[in-house]
Amino acid sequence: MSLCYLLVSFGDLLVKCAFTRKFVQLTRELQPFTRKFARFTREFVQYTREFRRFTRKFARFTRKFRRFTREMCFYS
């Protein structure tokens, strides 16, 4: 092995280590945000389900109410 190859390999290794260290540092810094985003996503999914449930109940109520008013108008 030549000295040049060893120097290039060592430089490459240093760059990889620096990149890995920086990547690890960034992921640690981003952890609180990812946790907040995960919690937001869970809550959003839950609210969406509740809203869907509410719209179904409201649609059922409107159908019954329409039927009721139609019958009341028919009998009056």
Side-chain angles (χ1 to χ4, degrees):
M1 274 196 213
S2 67
L3 181 65
C4 185
Y5 179 77
L6 283 174
L7 284 175
V8 168
S9 297
F10 185 68
D12 191 35
L13 186 64
L14 283 177
V15 167
K16 285 180 182 173
C17 285
F19 174 75
T20 306
R21 248 185 264 119
K22 187 67 177 171
F23 182 74
V24 168
Q25 178 189 358
L26 284 174
T27 47
R28 282 190 187 134
E29 290 173 4
L30 283 175
Q31 257 182 353
F33 299 109
T34 50
R35 285 189 186 126
K36 285 180 184 175
F37 184 71
R39 187 177 61 214
F40 167 78
T41 311
R42 281 193 304 271
E43 289 176 358
F44 182 75
V45 167
Q46 179 185 351
Y47 292 142
T48 311
R49 284 186 188 135
E50 289 175 8
F51 183 73
R52 208 177 311 142
R53 219 173 291 139
F54 167 76
T55 47
R56 283 190 200 125
K57 287 182 179 178
F58 187 72
R60 194 177 316 134
F61 166 77
T62 355
R63 283 193 300 270
K64 287 182 179 179
F65 185 73
R66 252 189 273 144
R67 192 177 313 133
F68 171 75
T69 50
R70 223 179 294 129
E71 289 174 1
M72 291 302 289
C73 289
F74 181 74
Y75 290 122
S76 64

